[in-house]
């Protein structure tokens, strides 16, 4: 049995968790998170130095709280895992410094985990305490605030980048469209909420007779046409681009400024935008399934919390019976320390005693990387 303490501070959540790994099952023994949403809301986005200051204030109580919930003492912890990157350097530094200090004082091995790897391994954490393993090859659609990537894994911790966004990440596009619509921070979930509300309340009106409506008629309840482009959907590769879509929304809103006070109009724009993003993500993922025939498809990163994306991918994967679709539990879709712990535990479990000892000098040498590719 292995026990691990995990720390995550790459952006605006201070998070710690204690996990246990036994007989192939990952169990969460205790976790604590402090969100900084209220702090950054007035600025409409995360302010790195404010985030760092808040992490400094919260890191000790958050680690203490995770340890207390788990009812473990430091002597029973085998290893410490911390997010090493990618992320905001001032924020990453706080988690790294806390983890290094604890590793030094407690004389524990310290593993630096890639944040995106954590998002992928969040798929192996289940409340049902099922055996945690992937069937390879695994295709991972990573969709977060900073990344949009399709990655192929032929084994644990081996990543082949099939393609990524050429400009904005999917989550970033959600956040920017939210800003254009004057919606409160954090924008992504708010755009998604309004999009879902619009779709559900207008569903019965969504008939093909609306197809020929012009974009200026978008505010009509239930209109069903493609107001916005599906960038690169038809190109024969696994690359994405969301900045053109964002600009299309911007121009559309400029033409329809007067309607921004109309809730139904805002809902329709959110819906049309979400459909464009989801169509693109689903289309490219399906292309990769056909080419690489993965046994498992996972979605990872904050945008994997998007309900429409989940249901559309689930429906698409039904056409590929040899591929199993896994998605993280909602609470582990967004940034958290449990996902860092899951990746850390599985990495640590595979090491020899000598390799574990070799992780101890990380207590003094580990340094965060703002741009740390998953494939390095
Ligand atoms: O993984 P994450 O928590 O942080 C990063 O690693 O970037 O992802 C945050 C991103 C933000 O852009 C946020 O707007 C987006 O995920 N997001 C969503 C939803 N929930 C979070 N985007 C669309 N629909 C959602 N339900
Ligand atoms: Zn993340």
């Amino acid at each position: 049995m292995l026990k691990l303490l995990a720390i995550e501070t790459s952006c605006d959540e201070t998070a710690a968790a204690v996990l246990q790994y036994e007989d192939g099952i990952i169990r969460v023994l205790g976790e604590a998170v402090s969100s900084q949403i209220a702090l950054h809301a007035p600025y409409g986005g995360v302010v790195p130095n404010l985030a760092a200051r808040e992490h400094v204030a919260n890191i000790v109580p958050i680690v203490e709280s995770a340890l207390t919930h788990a009812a473990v003492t430091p002597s029973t912890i085998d290893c410490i895992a911390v997010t090493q990157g990618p992320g905001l350097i001032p924020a990453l530094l706080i988690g790294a410094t806390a983890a290094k200090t604890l590793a030094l004082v407690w004389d524990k091995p310290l593993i630096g985990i890639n944040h995106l790897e954590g998002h992928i391994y969040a798929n192996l954490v289940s409340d049902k305490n099922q055996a945690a393993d992937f069937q390879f090859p695994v295709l991972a659609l990573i969709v977060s605030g900073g990344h949009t990537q399709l990655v192929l894994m032929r084994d644990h911790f081996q990543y082949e980048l099939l393609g990524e966004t050429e400009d904005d990440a999917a989550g970033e596009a959600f956040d920017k469209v939210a800003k254009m619509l004057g919606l409160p921070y954090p924008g992504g979930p708010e755009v998604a909420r309004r999009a879902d509300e619009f779709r559900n309340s207008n569903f019965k009106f969504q008939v093909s007779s609306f197809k020929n409506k012009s974009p200026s008629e978008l505010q009509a309840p239930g209109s069903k046409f493609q107001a916005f482009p599906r960038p690169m959907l038809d190109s024969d590769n696994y690359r994405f681009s969301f900045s053109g879509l964002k600009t299309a929304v911007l121009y559309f809103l400029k033409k329809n400024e007067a309607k921004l006070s109309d809730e139904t109009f805002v809902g329709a724009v959110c819906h049309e935008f979400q459909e464009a993003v989801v169509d693109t993500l689903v289309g490219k993922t399906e292309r990769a399934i056909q080419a690489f025939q993965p046994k498992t498809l996972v979605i990872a990163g904050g945008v994997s919390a998007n309900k429409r994306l989940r249901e559309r991918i689930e429906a698409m994967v039904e056409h590929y019976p040899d591929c199993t679709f896994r998605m993280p539990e909602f609470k582990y879709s967004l940034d958290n320390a449990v996902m860092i712990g899951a990746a850390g535990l599985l990495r640590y479990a595979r090491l020899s005693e000598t390799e574990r000892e070799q992780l101890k000098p990380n207590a003094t040498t580990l340094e965060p990387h703002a741009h740390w590719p998953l494939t390095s």
Side-chain angles (χ1 to χ4, degrees):
M1 194 223 300
L2 292 174
K3 282 200 179 84
L4 173 146
L5 168 68
I7 295 176
E8 148 71 41
T9 62
S10 68
C11 192
D12 58 347
E13 312 274 346
T14 319
V18 179
L19 294 88
Q20 175 183 300
Y21 186 56
E22 191 176 22
D23 300 331
I25 297 174
I26 295 174
R27 282 198 177 82
V28 181
L29 302 183
E31 59 181 308
V33 184
S34 165
S35 165
Q36 303 180 2
I37 286 178
L39 177 72
H40 300 288
Y43 304 93
V46 179
V47 184
N49 286 343
L50 280 186
R53 214 163 64 188
E54 196 70 1
H55 285 313
V56 170
N58 290 327
I59 189 71
V60 172
I62 286 295
V63 170
E64 272 181 338
S65 166
L67 291 168
T68 307
H69 279 115
V72 293
T73 54
S75 63
T76 62
I77 300 266
D78 295 285
C79 170
I80 300 174
V82 67
T83 309
Q84 196 173 354
L88 306 169
I89 282 290
L92 286 165
L93 270 169
I94 310 307
T97 305
K100 285 163 77 175
T101 307
L102 292 176
L104 196 65
V105 173
W106 295 345
D107 190 28
K108 305 287 178 189
L110 174 63
I111 306 190
I113 297 292
N114 186 297
H115 182 80
L116 303 178
E117 176 170 285
H119 275 303
I120 291 174
Y121 278 83
N123 281 279
L124 292 183
V125 184
S126 158
D127 277 346
K128 297 182 196 94
N129 290 329
Q130 289 157 340
D133 211 355
F134 289 134
Q135 294 290 306
F136 294 98
V138 170
L139 177 67
L141 173 67
I142 301 173
V143 272
S144 70
H147 295 81
T148 303
Q149 300 183 338
L150 272 166
V151 169
L152 192 68
M153 296 170 67
R154 298 189 195 274
D155 202 349
H156 279 293
F157 312 118
Q158 291 181 13
Y159 307 100
E160 193 182 319
L161 181 63
L162 302 180
E164 63 185 330
T165 182
E166 299 190 343
D167 37 60
D168 291 355
E172 192 180 355
F174 265 92
D175 296 336
K176 286 178 176 168
V177 165
K179 265 195 180 174
M180 292 174 203
L181 288 166
L183 300 179
Y185 167 88
E190 183 65 16
V191 169
R193 190 185 66 73
R194 286 174 181 253
D196 293 345
E197 205 174 276
F198 178 85
R199 195 177 63 256
N200 294 334
S201 61
N202 294 285
F203 185 73
K204 59 180 181 292
F205 300 110
Q206 289 190 2
V207 290
S208 55
S209 59
F210 282 99
K211 266 188 179 157
N212 298 326
K213 298 273 178 185
S214 73
S216 61
E217 290 169 285
L218 183 61
Q219 78 280 17
S223 58
K224 194 186 183 200
F225 60 94
Q226 295 192 348
F228 304 129
R230 271 64 177 156
M232 300 183 76
L233 182 55
D234 297 324
S235 56
D236 189 15
N237 55 43
Y238 310 105
R239 298 205 292 271
F240 303 88
S241 164
F242 293 108
S243 113
L245 169 60
K246 178 191 69 187
T247 311
V249 176
L250 181 69
Y251 284 140
F252 179 77
L253 293 181
K254 280 204 165 140
K255 269 193 242 154
N256 292 280
E257 232 167 341
K259 294 179 191 146
L260 272 172
S261 53
D262 177 344
E263 292 283 313
T264 310
F265 172 80
V266 171
V269 173
C270 291
H271 166 70
E272 282 297 323
F273 165 75
Q274 179 169 271
E275 290 303 294
V277 174
V278 170
D279 276 351
T280 312
L281 295 174
V282 174
K284 292 281 178 167
T285 304
E286 182 164 17
R287 189 184 292 274
I289 290 180
Q290 288 167 352
F292 297 98
Q293 291 160 5
K295 292 217 175 71
T296 313
L297 170 69
V298 299
I299 49 174
V303 185
S304 73
N306 187 279
K307 287 195 198 128
R308 185 65 170 156
L309 178 65
R310 286 170 170 242
E311 70 183 33
R312 287 281 310 279
I313 290 201
E314 205 161 16
M316 180 269 287
V317 179
E318 275 175 18
H319 299 119
Y320 303 90
D322 295 336
C323 182
T324 307
F325 175 43
R326 299 182 79 125
M327 48 191 153
E329 288 181 20
F330 274 110
K331 62 181 172 185
Y332 298 135
S333 276
L334 301 174
D335 289 351
N336 64 87
V338 166
M339 67 186 199
I340 303 301
L345 266 180
L346 290 187
R347 274 190 179 271
Y348 190 75
R350 280 169 169 69
L351 299 179
S352 65
E353 276 310 319
T354 317
E355 288 168 325
R356 290 175 179 180
E357 276 301 307
Q358 286 166 350
L359 291 172
K360 286 194 174 167
N362 280 342
T364 49
T365 58
L366 186 138
E367 278 182 21
H369 301 297
H371 307 283
W372 194 26
L374 192 52
T375 43
S376 64

